[in-house]
């Protein structure tokens, strides 16, 4: 193992022990009127010695060293507390990693944190990557069923990258598909990109699923997504993920619906 990696790993262990890795929040925007309807929690780690390290690096590392369940519990606890201060109709979207999905107790753990914090499962959305789902079909289904029975919605993250077959997709009881950023970024470049996104939107609509486009960065992409019936969007065009303390300011400059749905 390289010494850089060993150093990151050592710092990661102490960051988790000190509970200093925290969620930031990126708005989820309903495309009928560009209103904020909730936030996705994205883990952020600012190491005092190494600087900012991205979740693409430390989440897989935490999985490898067996600390992801602990880190995920810390993040979910904090996210629930933060989300309790938002307008009462807002959803909280939370990612669970492929390794976590192999743990048959993960559903129970999520539900007990919600119960402890008093955050309603009806406002919670759990994001599972398409590849994680396909890797662990039987266990994933049991966890999904358990969460959905409690009222939590399930979103299939990074859709289009995990090689699931239509049959596999249909056998899961899902609520939402998140179209991977790689497809959204191709909307401007090629007709192929547009054909793929339109096909995914049509498929999702046919199955009664909500759709979120990830990585919306410009007005052209947004217009295409709206014209083809995409329900929600997320991306730098609206906002990057912000610390909990900056959520009120963000809501001051972006429209949102606070009335009960
Ligand atoms: P993801 O769940 O697909 O999250 C979306 C990623 O795209 C985030 O990167 C977000 O900052 C980034 N993004 C959002 N809008 C745009 C845009 O318009 N353009 C571009 N170029 N990027 C955009 P981030 O925060 O670095 O997270 C990377 C991945 O790490 C996430 O991908 C997710 O798989 C994982 N992750 C983050 N937080 C958690 C967590 O708390 N638990 C677990 N299990 N995984 C997490
Ligand atoms: Ca996600
Ligand atoms: Ca994603």
């Amino acid at each position: 193992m390289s010494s850089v990696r060993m150093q990151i790993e050592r710092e990661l262990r102490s960051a988790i022990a000190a509970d200093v890795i925290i969620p930031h929040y990126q708005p989820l925007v309903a495309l009928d009127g560009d209103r904020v309807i909730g936030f996705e929690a994205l883990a952020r780690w600012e190491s005092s010695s190494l600087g900012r390290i991205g979740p693409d690096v430390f989440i897989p590392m935490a999985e490898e060293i067996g600390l992801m369940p602990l880190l995920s519990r810390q993040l979910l606890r904090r996210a629930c507390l933060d989300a309790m201060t938002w307008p009462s109709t807002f959803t909280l979207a939370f990612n669970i990693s492929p390794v976590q999905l192999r743990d048959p107790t993960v559903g129970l753990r999520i539900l007990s944190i919600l119960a402890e914090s008093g955050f309603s499962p009806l406002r919670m959305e759990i994001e599972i990557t398409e590849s994680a789902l396909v890797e662990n079909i039987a266990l994933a289904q049991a966890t999904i069923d358990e969460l959905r029975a409690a009222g939590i919605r399930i979103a299939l993250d990074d859709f289009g990258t995990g090689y699931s077959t239509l049959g596999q997709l249909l056998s899961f009881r899902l609520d939402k598909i998140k179209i991977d950023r790689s497809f959204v970024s191709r909307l401007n470049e090629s007709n192929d990109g547009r054909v793929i996104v339109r096909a995914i939107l049509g498929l999702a609509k046919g199955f009664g699923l909500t759709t979120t486009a990830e990585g919306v960065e410009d007005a052209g992409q947004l217009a295409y997504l709206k014209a083809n019936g995409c329900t929600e969007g997320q991306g730098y065009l609206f906002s990057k993920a912000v610390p909990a303390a900056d959520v009120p300011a963000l809501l001051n400059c972006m429209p949102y619906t606070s009335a009960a749905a």
Side-chain angles (χ1 to χ4, degrees), residues 26 40 42-44 55-56 59 68 75 95-97 100 157-158 181 214-217 235-236:
Q26 185 178 38
E40 176 177 359
L42 292 164
R44 293 291 179 264
D56 284 335
I59 300 273
M68 195 55 210
L75 289 164
N95 295 283
I96 62 172
S97 68
Q100 286 178 278
D157 210 347
D158 303 343
R181 189 168 81 218
E214 302 186 308
V216 182
E217 292 185 351
Y236 297 162

Side-chain angles (χ1 to χ4, degrees), residues 40-63:
E40 176 177 359
L42 292 164
R44 293 291 179 264
W45 176 27
E46 195 77 52
S47 155
S48 45
S49 53
L50 303 167
R52 170 170 286 201
I53 299 183
D56 284 335
V57 174
F58 70 77
I59 300 273
M61 201 180 264
E63 284 185 337

